[in-house]
Amino acid sequence: MDTRGYAMDATHADATVNKRRTFRKFSYRGVDLEQLLDVSSEQLMEMVPCRARRKFKRGLKRKPMGLIKKLRLAKQNALPNEKPAVVKTHLRNMIIVPEMIGSIVGVYNGKTFNQVEIKPEMIGHYLGEFSITYKIVNHGRPGMGATHSSRFIPLK
């Protein structure tokens, strides 16, 4: 008997014990991750959205190529089964490509470098999307400030 009062048969109990958790295989626009890493830049250009396609068509300049080179170097120097060293950058407008997966990038938000671990789901997005530039406002706290400084707060 289970907790709800129903009788469980032996096959059902065995099925729940032996059931393995299956993970969803990642694919970007119908292309598996392994194939995505082998794809040429022209083929990747056809998969990404229009704005990213335009940027790739106009060519990657010196700074984005320098970032990719530093990320490659950090991955090579990392020990097996260890995360690579953080590579700091101001390039918030850099589009994430499959080669960057697994790297850790310090993205500048105007004040500090926020560490971002590149995951497969981030392909085609900008680095800046993962490093918020403003502090989230917590409203409704009266006290010392430009306004509401003299508001009466009862002590109960």
Side-chain angles (χ1 to χ4, degrees):
M1 295 275 261
D2 69 352
T3 55
R4 294 177 302 231
Y6 299 111
M8 287 179 69
D9 57 358
T11 57
H12 188 275
D14 290 339
T16 56
V17 172
N18 293 336
K19 193 173 190 181
R20 284 256 170 217
R21 196 166 156 215
T22 55
F23 295 100
R24 188 176 64 85
K25 195 169 180 132
F26 176 78
S27 66
Y28 180 74
R29 309 249 170 147
V31 181
D32 288 338
L33 183 59
E34 292 81 29
Q35 296 169 343
L36 206 57
L37 293 170
D38 299 330
V39 143
S40 69
S41 57
E42 287 79 25
Q43 290 171 325
L44 178 69
M45 201 169 82
E46 296 302 317
M47 286 187 244
V48 293
C50 182
R51 173 55 51 184
R53 195 167 39 245
R54 175 180 162 83
K55 187 168 185 164
F56 286 135
K57 191 180 256 186
R58 293 171 67 88
L60 287 176
K61 304 292 188 261
R62 186 167 172 254
K63 286 186 177 179
M65 287 308 292
L67 174 65
I68 290 176
K69 206 175 284 184
K70 283 182 182 178
L71 290 171
R72 273 190 211 131
L73 195 66
K75 268 190 183 179
Q76 284 175 359
N77 294 342
L79 298 170
N81 299 328
E82 291 290 319
K83 291 185 179 180
V86 178
V87 177
K88 292 182 177 181
T89 183
H90 282 239
L91 297 175
R92 297 175 56 82
N93 63 347
M94 176 71 186
I95 294 167
I96 295 171
V97 292
E99 191 179 354
M100 297 167 74
I101 293 173
S103 301
I104 299 175
V105 184
V107 184
Y108 194 65
N109 67 356
K111 186 177 181 181
T112 59
F113 290 92
N114 294 340
Q115 288 188 12
V116 178
E117 186 177 350
I118 308 297
K119 295 182 170 65
E121 293 81 23
M122 297 178 178
I123 294 172
H125 290 270
Y126 290 97
L127 282 175
E129 292 180 50
F130 305 103
S131 177
I132 194 163
T133 57
Y134 55 89
K135 186 178 170 194
I136 296 164
V137 179
N138 294 321
H139 292 287
R141 292 208 172 79
M144 299 304 288
T147 57
H148 305 299
S149 60
S150 59
R151 182 184 281 179
F152 173 70
I153 303 169
L155 292 171
K156 286 191 179 181

